[in-house]
Amino acid sequence: MAASCYVTTPIYYVNDVPHIGHAYTTITVDFVARFRRLCGQATLSVTGTDEHGEKVYKAAADAGEGPQEFCDRISQRFRDAWTALGIGNDDFIRTTDARHKRVVAHILEAVQAAGDVYYDEYDGLYCVGCERFMTDRDLVDGRCRDHHTVPEQRREGNYFFRMEKYRPWLNDHIRANPSFIRPDGYRNEVLSMLGDSIGDLSISRPRERVPWGIPLPWDGDHVTYVWFDALINYVAAIGYPDGELFARFWPAAQHFIGKDILKAHAVFWPTMLKAAGIQTYQHLNVGGFLMGSDGRKMSKSLGNVVDPFALSGRYGADAVRYYLLKETVYGQDSAVGEGSLVERYNADLANDLGNLLARVRALLLRHLDGVLPAPVAHADDVPVRDCGAGLAGVVESLVTDLKFHAALEEVMQFVRQLNRYFNDQEPWVLARDVGRRERLGTVLYNVVEGLRIASVLLEPALPNKGPEIRRGLGLGDYTVAQASEWGLSEPGTAIPAEAPQLFPRIDEVPAAAGALAETARAAPQEKEVTSVSKLISIDDFGRIDLRVAEVIGAEPVPKTDKLLKLKLRVGEEERTVVAGLAEHYRPHQLVGKRVVVVANLQPAVLRGVESQGMILAADDGAGGLVVISPETEVESGAKIQ
Ligand code: MSP
């Protein structure tokens, strides 16, 4: 493991307010930074705003504000957005910061001193959206492939950087360092760009046309081209040339970007560094796009974005972070929407994780005086222990390989294994027999220990809820190394009597979200994907714990017309379930019946009564409900499969 780690996001243009595309890269970087910190690595994460150039200058004018005032206002919105999403960046750099401007001037002078700058007339097609001259590769039917606009013909005097001179070096560097650009598809894309001339890079704009920029040190009539200016933020933020952070962190620099800014990072930036005599960065990690319901990249100008701040207001920052990391495959485009966020949240966080936490806490408080017991080794527990102890290693190598969704899936598979263990060991049955106290204690200890490990490994995605899971079990904080050791939850730990419900189930999705949920719907060729995504896997079905139960009591819930409070016997356990059956059954008609209950549903309080499950009923097609019963009499508690 490298001693240090420096991770960066792109710095965001302030002509737009923060949206989910920006949030995605920022969350990814924050996830990696938090993971590395938990691994004990010295880690630095930096984000910021890109504030110069034509595009920003125009946006300020359109808003009727001076450029600096406008940049201050929008830059602050980015800072606020990151606070709301639980981003723990160490620094926030702005290209209008004096520390940044100084370094830009320094590097320009170094490149000029190396003889790599000359003046010439430029004649070409310019896309203001991209803030660069276009080549044939950048155009589709004469339009910019990203902005769908026709570029402007421009002819002007510019200073040029001899980028082409460094093409052979860059080619060799990429071939000799297979992990320099990741994933591989993007590396190949860059190698193919380098197969042809890359030309020289225009690095200035006449000040009279673009007054909002950093003046060239040797010619005040020209300002620095916005990309040449912006890329330098990565070294300016850590105090290039002689800052201590630069010496320590630059060799371990990893940039995270979206695929639209690949060329600037993979071609402009390494050649600029080379010309300035600076060692190049370690990794360029390239993410795909989040796609909207129209099958196109989400962007404000296309009007197909989901607002991450509205989402985090509704479901919490942790839910949004978890969803974006789990639902996307890093490097590939992924469709996202509010409906699928809610599905993912309910299945993983509310059901698998939150429900297990609530159940183990309830049994510890009810039967073991809220004290974590000492476990006693038992053969049944070996698979859970082994999987728990091996999990951190697996997760760490997936994070290193940028497989963030797979890393989270590993943890959730372990949580599902814990749920199965809990259900198979039936601790509520053990609790009835004083002779089996020791076994009860061991089973509950193992579930707590498993949740401790899972909560540490989920913490980079769930920076608030990860620690809260442990607080609910009376536990503190741990490193990744401590998550790879089984048995660090201290017997004797007191379980707090009160703990907030961490992931309450979301039953209502706002109407507008329905359209976003089926993000593939608008693209006809993806229709099949939509219908397949509605199917569940056998594993999904296996997560529902269906049992036969006997109704041993029934009474109306006071002040309601529809609800009955049922007492059920599920094996040896008694449960209360509130069911909407009062209009279909009189209480006495249900007593003695065998019914089917969803036994691992998160408890919910209905009209002041805690409902610990749900019984299944069929619609009779005439507005009535008929409860489902086994055809012949089966033992209560029998598993339905
Ligand atoms: N200012 C430049 C970056 C300079 S870095 C030295 C810039 N800014 S941006 O605000 O336009 O975009 C920043 C990042 O957001 C890019 O990596 C871009 O890919 C990403 N995203 C914007 N919309 C996106 C999606 N819909 N999906 C994923 N990321 C996208 O470019």
Side-chain angles (χ1 to χ4, degrees):
M1 185 172 76
S4 52
C5 170
Y6 173 38
V7 283
T8 67
T9 76
I11 50 170
Y12 302 106
Y13 283 132
V14 290
N15 69 315
D16 200 356
V17 292
H19 66 65
I20 195 150
H22 306 133
Y24 177 53
T25 324
T26 310
I27 287 169
T28 305
V29 169
D30 193 57
F31 173 81
V32 174
R34 287 178 185 274
F35 195 87
R36 289 293 154 216
R37 266 182 222 119
L38 281 178
C39 288
Q41 256 177 296
T43 301
L44 200 61
S45 78
V46 176
T47 187
T49 41
D50 189 354
E51 306 186 3
H52 290 128
E54 209 171 323
K55 191 154 76 166
V56 170
Y57 188 65
K58 280 189 176 152
D62 291 348
E65 284 174 75
Q68 188 62 57
E69 178 196 356
F70 174 80
C71 290
D72 290 350
R73 186 166 62 79
I74 308 289
S75 182
Q76 187 58 43
R77 286 190 65 168
F78 277 91
R79 284 181 197 259
D80 295 344
W82 305 151
T83 306
L85 284 173
I87 306 295
N89 51 301
D90 296 293
D91 201 348
F92 188 100
I93 187 161
R94 302 177 56 184
T95 54
T96 51
D97 285 347
R99 60 172 171 161
H100 174 77
K101 292 185 192 167
R102 258 197 315 274
V103 180
V104 171
H106 182 101
I107 289 183
L108 279 165
E109 276 167 344
V111 175
Q112 204 211 22
D116 285 337
V117 176
Y118 64 95
Y119 187 82
D120 202 0
E121 282 281 307
Y122 201 105
D123 197 357
L125 293 171
Y126 194 81
C127 171
V128 179
C130 293
E131 287 278 25
R132 65 183 173 88
F133 284 100
M134 303 270 97
T135 63
D136 286 348
R137 276 173 185 268
D138 301 316
L139 301 175
V140 178
D141 298 331
R143 290 172 181 269
C144 164
R145 62 166 71 238
D146 287 329
H147 294 92
H148 312 283
T149 49
V150 178
E152 296 168 23
Q153 185 72 40
R154 284 208 179 155
R155 188 187 171 83
E156 62 188 28
N158 285 177
Y159 286 90
F160 283 82
F161 159 52
R162 293 187 198 282
M163 188 162 74
E164 173 67 18
K165 172 176 153 189
Y166 293 99
R167 179 161 64 103
W169 165 78
L170 182 57
N171 210 344
D172 292 348
H173 183 79
I174 295 174
R175 288 182 195 280
N177 295 278
S179 67
F180 181 57
I181 301 170
R182 312 184 287 190
D184 267 356
Y186 298 106
R187 174 173 182 265
N188 295 336
E189 200 176 317
V190 175
L191 283 172
S192 132
M193 281 180 212
L194 295 175
D196 292 331
S197 157
I198 50 172
D200 289 341
L201 180 67
S202 148
I203 57 164
S204 69
R205 295 291 178 268
R207 195 175 198 160
E208 53 177 32
R209 192 167 62 72
V210 189
W212 187 236
I214 302 174
L216 295 185
W218 61 85
D219 184 347
D221 289 340
H222 292 261
V223 297
T224 313
Y225 166 48
V226 64
W227 268 106
F228 196 97
D229 164 349
L231 288 160
I232 290 173
N233 92 83
Y234 298 130
V235 292
I238 51 174
Y240 175 78
D242 41 25
E244 188 226 318
L245 290 180
F246 178 75
R248 186 151 162 234
F249 285 99
W250 182 245
Q254 298 197 37
H255 302 313
F256 286 77
I257 60 163
K259 65 181 183 180
D260 52 336
I261 54 177
L262 176 62
K263 185 174 180 186
H265 284 80
V267 179
F268 301 177
W269 184 220
T271 52
M272 284 166 62
L273 287 165
K274 182 75 182 158
I278 307 169
Q279 166 196 344
T280 197
Y281 55 79
Q282 191 185 17
H283 297 298
L284 181 64
N285 304 314
V286 189
F289 288 153
L290 300 183
M291 310 299 275
S293 52
D294 52 1
R296 293 165 79 177
K297 174 191 173 192
M298 279 190 172
S299 81
K300 219 181 106 202
S301 52
L302 296 174
N304 59 354
V305 285
V306 196
D307 178 356
F309 314 104
L311 292 182
S312 75
R314 242 173 259 151
Y315 309 115
D318 287 30
V320 176
R321 297 169 60 106
Y322 176 82
Y323 170 68
L324 289 179
L325 290 161
K326 180 85 197 301
E327 199 71 9
T328 61
V329 177
Y330 189 75
Q332 295 177 21
D333 293 350
S334 312
V336 293
E338 186 166 357
S340 74
L341 181 153
V342 170
E343 276 173 30
R344 169 74 55 213
Y345 170 96
N346 279 340
D348 292 7
L349 301 179
N351 193 32
D352 291 343
L353 195 56
N355 204 9
L356 184 62
L357 175 69
R359 290 173 86 191
V360 75
R361 271 180 43 78
L363 290 178
L364 282 162
L365 289 167
R366 204 175 307 146
H367 301 293
L368 296 175
D369 302 323
V371 177
L372 191 64
V376 176
H378 190 291
D380 279 4
D381 308 340
V382 173
V384 162
R385 282 185 67 131
D386 286 355
C387 189
L391 191 61
V394 176
V395 169
E396 189 183 353
S397 77
L398 288 168
V399 173
T400 304
D401 290 345
L402 309 176
K403 300 208 165 80
F404 310 125
H405 72 291
L408 294 174
E409 179 55 21
E410 279 295 325
V411 185
M412 289 315 298
Q413 272 183 22
F414 174 61
V415 171
R416 277 175 229 131
Q417 182 182 1
L418 281 176
N419 270 289
R420 281 193 300 274
Y421 170 79
F422 186 89
N423 290 334
D424 292 347
Q425 297 298 322
E426 302 184 312
W428 59 91
V429 176
L430 299 172
R432 287 175 201 288
D433 185 346
V434 269
R436 300 173 81 189
R437 278 282 121 129
E438 187 180 277
R439 184 64 192 140
L440 169 69
T442 298
V443 169
L444 297 185
Y445 178 91
N446 287 334
V447 175
V448 168
E449 181 57 2
L451 284 172
R452 176 187 74 84
I453 289 174
S455 74
V456 175
L457 298 173
L458 289 172
E459 193 172 319
L462 306 175
N464 304 302
K465 304 286 182 176
E468 277 182 46
I469 291 171
R470 294 191 298 277
R471 303 297 169 262
L473 297 168
L475 302 173
D477 292 333
Y478 302 86
T479 62
V480 167
Q482 291 166 327
S484 62
E485 242 183 275
W486 185 270
L488 295 191
S489 295
E490 279 290 323
T493 300
I495 309 297
E498 300 293 329
Q501 195 188 349
L502 285 192
F503 301 106
R505 235 190 116 72
I506 302 163
D507 290 318
E508 270 176 37
V509 180
L516 289 166
E518 279 131 44
T519 38
R521 192 192 288 159
Q525 74 277 20
E526 290 181 32
K527 261 208 172 111
E528 265 182 45
V529 175
T530 312
S531 58
V532 170
S533 72
K534 294 231 175 288
L535 301 178
I536 61 166
S537 69
I538 191 80
D539 279 353
D540 289 337
F541 179 71
R543 303 219 303 262
I544 306 172
D545 188 22
L546 294 172
R547 302 276 175 157
V548 172
E550 187 191 350
V551 183
I552 53 174
E555 59 185 73
V557 175
K559 298 198 202 118
T560 70
D561 299 332
K562 296 191 175 153
L563 301 179
L564 289 181
K565 177 174 156 188
L566 306 180
K567 268 244 155 324
L568 303 182
R569 183 175 298 127
V570 189
E572 294 186 56
E573 197 193 17
E574 274 182 24
R575 298 238 188 152
T576 303
V577 164
V578 177
L581 292 172
E583 292 172 329
H584 312 283
Y585 289 90
R586 300 204 174 281
H588 75 268
Q589 295 176 304
L590 288 166
V591 177
K593 249 190 191 317
R594 310 247 147 175
V595 294
V596 174
V597 65
V598 181
N600 60 344
L601 194 67
Q602 173 137 344
V605 177
L606 298 168
R607 296 297 169 108
V609 184
E610 188 182 75
S611 179
Q612 301 150 333
M614 182 175 85
I615 68 169
L616 300 190
D619 189 329
D620 69 1
L625 283 179
V626 184
V627 296
I628 308 289
S629 293
E631 195 190 4
T632 54
E633 197 154 294
V634 240
E635 281 285 296
S636 97
K639 249 187 170 167
I640 294 174
Q641 37 208 336

